[in-house]
Amino acid sequence: MGDAAGKAAPIVLIGGGHAHVEVVRKLRAAELGCEVLLVSPSACAPYSGMLPGYVAGQYGFEDFHIDLARLCTRSGVSFLMTTATAIDVEQMHVTLADGRVLSYSRLSIDIGSTPILPSGVTGGIAVKPIASFTERLARLDQMHSRTGGGRLAVVGQGVAGVEMAFALQKRFGRRVEVMLVGRADRPIADRSVSAQAKVLAELRQVGIAHHPRFDVQAFENGELVARDGRTVAVHEVVWTTSSGAPTWLRSSGLSLDPAGFIRVDAMLRSLSHPEVFAAGDIASLPDPRPKAGVFAVRQGPILAENLRRSVLKQPLQSYLPQQAWLVLISLADGRAIADKWGISATGRWVAAWKHWNDTRFLDRYRG
Ligand SMILES: Cc1cc2nc3c(=O)[nH]c(=O)nc-3n(C[C@H](O)[C@H](O)[C@H](O)COP(=O)(O)OP(=O)(O)OC[C@H]3O[C@@H](n4cnc5c(N)ncnc54)[C@H](O)[C@@H]3O)c2cc1C
């Protein structure tokens, strides 16, 4: 746990996700008597809630990013711009893509999740990792300028897919035919019936074709192929399908759930290794919730406090996930849909509320 000089090994934070930005803001390395290190492949962390607004032209790049390097400098946290590639929980060290190996006294993991593509499918553009989506978006812009139009399918009809479909339609206008494709029989299947009806009406209104019960098996020769044999001709595909965990965690020795996510207790602590914590999409909670940023954000303060208490050997706090949570769906035309407690509403005031919520979150991490 310490080096030859008796100095405690650092707290290592892997990933600049929505929970870790709060940890960086709150943890005081001086009080803990050890260094705090953040490992992230990029100096800027995107805020997913505003990505559709960026695609639709409402926001610029800086509007929806947190400058992690600056946040770290302000908080006395060391920033390492690289990726973690392996964890050895027995030796208590992390291997980085640049070859360095870091010992830790506490490890915290907030690395998000990645879309699961149908097996064997490699084409198309995944919306995650969001940090590099802005580069992949250039491919869609090229398709648009090359063909002057095209057919574009967004696969996955959860909140992210629905928002991306509206945002892409707004970006390219009517000359690109945007469609929304998904396995379920309706969009945003885990939200209220009234919100689903509103989404369907808005899709019709802007001319986004909807293909429900379309279980994509392949994307080949300019066609999406469904399990039941249906096909849809498309030039490009954007994947917003359900999320998986990175495979490199499988050799870490950490207890994982069947999908490969890190199993944690109510204190966000690994079930197998109490010096390891996880939050956000990568954490598999005792009382599971959908993979959504709203949970990562709420876990941030608890995670920061529990890392601190763990070092100071104090009792940890429990994280109690909300039973009902608000979803704000941007329609990319200055309006948004709000949905909570089975009640939904549409309007400009909802979009203004969403903008206020999103920018208030980001402002906390700017100085
Ligand atoms: C288009 C879109 C819109 C969405 N809108 C909403 C919304 O309105 N509300 C909502 O609640 N949810 C929304 N979501 C879901 C939301 O994006 C995720 O649930 C949320 O980002 C999860 O946060 P996180 O902290 O787990 O990880 P992330 O925010 O994904 O951050 C993880 C970070 O870890 C880094 N990382 C990954 N691997 C490594 C590694 N090996 N080493 C070091 N760093 C690593 C990544 O670069 C990334 O910056 C949306 C998703 C999408 C795609």
Side-chain angles (χ1 to χ4, degrees):
M1 293 261 277
D3 63 16
K7 210 172 118 204
I11 298 176
V12 175
L13 312 173
I14 308 180
H18 296 16
H20 271 177
V21 289
E22 182 65 7
V23 172
V24 171
R25 190 174 78 102
K26 284 237 170 105
L27 267 193
R28 292 281 160 260
E31 181 198 359
L32 299 174
C34 65
E35 198 184 357
V36 182
L37 305 166
L38 174 71
V39 178
S40 164
S42 46
C44 291
Y47 178 56
S48 55
M50 290 167 82
L51 175 68
Y54 171 78
V55 172
Q58 181 188 356
Y59 300 119
F61 181 89
E62 282 178 9
D63 294 331
F64 81 109
H65 280 82
I66 297 165
D67 186 335
L68 284 177
R70 215 161 77 203
L71 181 66
C72 283
T73 304
R74 251 197 353 254
S75 303
V77 170
S78 304
F79 178 70
L80 306 181
M81 197 162 99
T82 181
T83 308
T85 55
I87 299 168
D88 183 331
V89 286
E90 300 312 322
Q91 298 297 319
M92 294 175 68
H93 63 221
V94 177
T95 305
L96 306 180
D98 63 10
R100 274 180 287 183
V101 176
L102 304 175
S103 294
Y104 61 80
S105 62
R106 302 290 179 282
L107 179 67
S108 181
I109 306 168
D110 179 18
I111 57 174
S113 55
T114 42
I116 307 172
L117 269 50
S119 96
V121 173
T122 50
I125 296 170
V127 79
K128 286 206 161 188
I130 291 175
S132 51
F133 181 73
T134 51
E135 291 153 29
R136 294 188 295 282
L137 187 60
R139 218 164 100 189
L140 297 179
D141 290 339
Q142 279 161 14
M143 175 195 87
H144 181 241
S145 53
R146 206 177 48 244
T147 61
R151 287 164 65 87
L152 175 61
V154 176
V155 180
Q157 46 182 348
V159 171
V162 166
E163 283 196 308
M164 285 304 288
F166 285 116
L168 288 163
Q169 176 77 83
K170 174 76 178 178
R171 185 177 189 88
F172 297 123
R174 295 256 176 174
R175 288 171 69 198
V176 170
E177 203 182 318
V178 177
M179 60 193 89
L180 181 66
V181 175
R183 192 188 293 153
D185 60 358
R186 60 226 139 100
I188 54 167
D190 56 353
R191 303 306 304 183
S192 74
V193 173
S194 73
Q196 290 164 8
K198 287 185 171 70
V199 165
L200 285 170
E202 295 293 340
L203 289 171
R204 271 195 301 275
Q205 181 67 29
V206 294
I208 296 176
H210 181 220
H211 298 270
R213 295 176 290 279
F214 195 106
D215 188 1
V216 175
Q217 294 301 292
F219 171 42
E220 54 197 16
N221 307 321
E223 274 189 337
L224 273 178
V225 183
R227 185 184 289 276
D228 61 11
R230 278 180 294 159
T231 57
V232 176
V234 290
H235 293 101
E236 197 50 279
V237 173
V238 174
W239 303 101
T240 67
T241 36
S242 56
S243 302
T247 50
W248 64 269
L249 280 178
R250 293 197 181 271
S251 55
S252 65
L254 287 168
S255 170
L256 307 178
D257 73 9
F261 295 100
I262 302 166
R263 296 173 70 209
V264 295
D265 61 18
M267 277 81 79
L268 305 175
R269 213 170 34 173
S270 156
L271 289 192
S272 56
H273 295 81
E275 66 284 355
V276 179
F277 292 74
D281 284 5
I282 199 61
S284 177
L285 301 171
D287 184 7
R289 290 291 184 278
K291 303 294 181 197
V294 60
F295 299 107
V297 168
R298 291 284 186 98
Q299 287 162 11
I302 305 282
L303 179 63
E305 184 58 21
N306 281 352
L307 282 165
R308 191 184 77 84
R309 290 183 181 208
S310 164
V311 171
L312 300 177
K313 300 194 174 15
Q314 295 171 355
L316 305 190
Q317 288 184 344
S318 288
Y319 161 72
L320 295 174
Q322 310 98 288
Q323 294 300 328
W325 55 96
L326 174 70
V327 165
L328 299 169
I329 302 167
S330 168
L331 298 172
D333 65 352
R335 296 173 309 138
I337 298 172
D339 183 49
K340 192 174 179 182
W341 297 309
I343 304 164
S344 66
T346 310
R348 290 192 166 275
W349 65 271
V350 181
W353 182 21
K354 177 169 167 53
H355 173 78
W356 179 79
N357 249 332
D358 290 345
T359 49
R360 190 178 55 140
F361 173 77
L362 286 179
D363 284 349
R364 226 181 285 161
Y365 306 105
R366 294 181 169 140

